[in-house]
Amino acid sequence: LSYRLDFSPASNGSESRYDDVQDVPYSLFDQRFDNDAHTEEHTVQADYVNPLTDMHYIDFGAKYIYRKNKSEVERWIANHAGEMVEDDSPENRYSQLRNIVAAYADYQLKYKGFGLKAGARYEYTYMNVKYDLSHDRNYSANMNDVVPSLKLSYMLKPTTTLKMAYTMRINRPGIQSLHPFADESDPTNITKGNPDLDTEKSHNIELSFSRFSQKFMINAGLNYSYSGNGIEQYS
């Protein structure tokens, strides 16, 4: 059984000034901001391992992660008279919440020169964004993923081994990639998320051969990877 707490405060600020602007087809205003942010994460995990016999081995477990990112921004933008006026946009104060529940199970078999390890992991993710100043812009998303794995090995000789492995990895889109509202704080770099994004799944198959002796060692491998729904940015 384990519990872990991570807390990471982060504060930053910036200031932008424009001088001698000519022939620009959009408005540019002096602005500055100060951001007081932090990330808080709680992780609870339970694992069970049992080597039943010399041939059979099992382990399984579960994990829960609660992650919160909070940001409070104070922003000032120059008006037409050049005076700095505080901006009260709803994007200035928001929090991102992510809850992840995962469970896994593995089975391992060793019989003479043959070895097998098969397992699967299930993950459920719930994410949302809450705006302190504009609740109608709150946004949420959830995802379900099953991640299998398989490893096979065969010892041809005491010094020669052949292995094959299949693994799948997932990459969940962040809340910024999912959020459908446009960020227009920089007029030359407007960003917007896609709420229809799904988890990125990549598959990897690997075949390897190894042989060694007192004088030399040989390792050879063949690898194939595939990802059919990669998450990318475009502009």
Side-chain angles (χ1 to χ4, degrees):
L1 301 174
S2 66
Y3 167 76
R4 186 180 67 190
L5 168 65
D6 289 330
F7 185 81
S8 304
S11 299
N12 65 297
S14 71
E15 184 172 356
S16 301
R17 294 187 178 274
Y18 302 94
D19 298 317
D20 300 326
V21 177
Q22 298 180 12
D23 301 327
V24 178
Y26 43 79
S27 299
L28 292 174
F29 299 100
D30 294 348
Q31 58 179 303
R32 75 173 187 270
F33 78 87
D34 295 312
N35 182 20
D36 184 14
H38 70 266
T39 298
E40 178 183 353
E41 182 174 303
H42 303 265
T43 303
V44 180
Q45 184 170 348
D47 296 287
Y48 176 80
V49 179
N50 189 345
L52 300 174
T53 66
D54 293 339
M55 290 178 53
H56 305 282
Y57 171 99
I58 61 170
D59 67 304
F60 52 87
K63 177 188 289 188
Y64 170 70
I65 301 175
Y66 171 85
R67 183 181 301 128
K68 180 178 182 180
N69 300 319
K70 189 171 180 62
S71 175
E72 295 185 1
V73 178
E74 293 182 351
R75 175 179 288 145
W76 293 268
I77 301 177
N79 57 21
H80 292 283
E83 300 171 338
M84 300 300 288
V85 179
E86 187 171 1
D87 176 33
D88 57 355
S89 299
E91 296 88 352
N92 291 350
R93 295 186 179 183
Y94 70 95
S95 60
Q96 303 174 4
L97 300 177
R98 177 175 292 189
N99 292 272
I100 302 173
V101 178
Y104 78 92
D106 288 325
Y107 169 73
Q108 184 171 336
L109 170 67
K110 292 183 179 180
Y111 179 71
K112 296 183 178 180
F114 177 76
L116 176 146
K117 185 175 182 180
R121 187 174 78 254
Y122 169 77
E123 293 189 9
Y124 173 79
T125 304
Y126 174 76
M127 300 179 289
N128 68 354
V129 168
K130 293 183 179 180
Y131 288 93
D132 295 348
L133 304 178
S134 180
H135 298 296
D136 59 325
R137 301 190 67 176
N138 293 350
Y139 173 76
S140 63
N142 60 77
M143 300 177 186
N144 290 277
D145 298 292
V146 177
V147 184
S149 64
L150 177 66
K151 295 181 181 180
L152 300 172
S153 65
Y154 184 69
M155 186 177 295
L156 302 173
K157 297 180 180 179
T159 60
T160 306
T161 303
L162 185 66
K163 295 181 180 180
M164 191 276 288
Y166 164 76
T167 56
M168 187 178 91
R169 298 185 182 276
I170 63 174
N171 178 29
R172 291 178 293 269
I175 200 72
Q176 295 294 342
S177 300
L178 292 165
H179 205 278
F181 295 102
D183 180 2
E184 301 179 353
S185 57
D186 180 355
T188 65
N189 184 26
I190 298 174
T191 61
K192 184 178 182 179
N194 176 11
D196 295 324
L197 288 178
D198 198 0
T199 304
E200 178 181 308
K201 300 179 178 68
S202 59
H203 307 268
N204 186 76
I205 299 175
E206 183 176 2
L207 182 66
S208 64
F209 171 85
S210 62
R211 184 176 182 179
F212 68 91
S213 68
Q214 293 180 347
K215 294 183 178 181
F216 68 91
M217 181 174 65
I218 297 176
N219 288 304
L222 184 65
N223 183 279
Y224 173 76
S225 297
Y226 171 78
S227 179
N229 58 330
I231 299 173
E232 303 289 344
Q233 292 183 336
Y234 73 94
S235 60

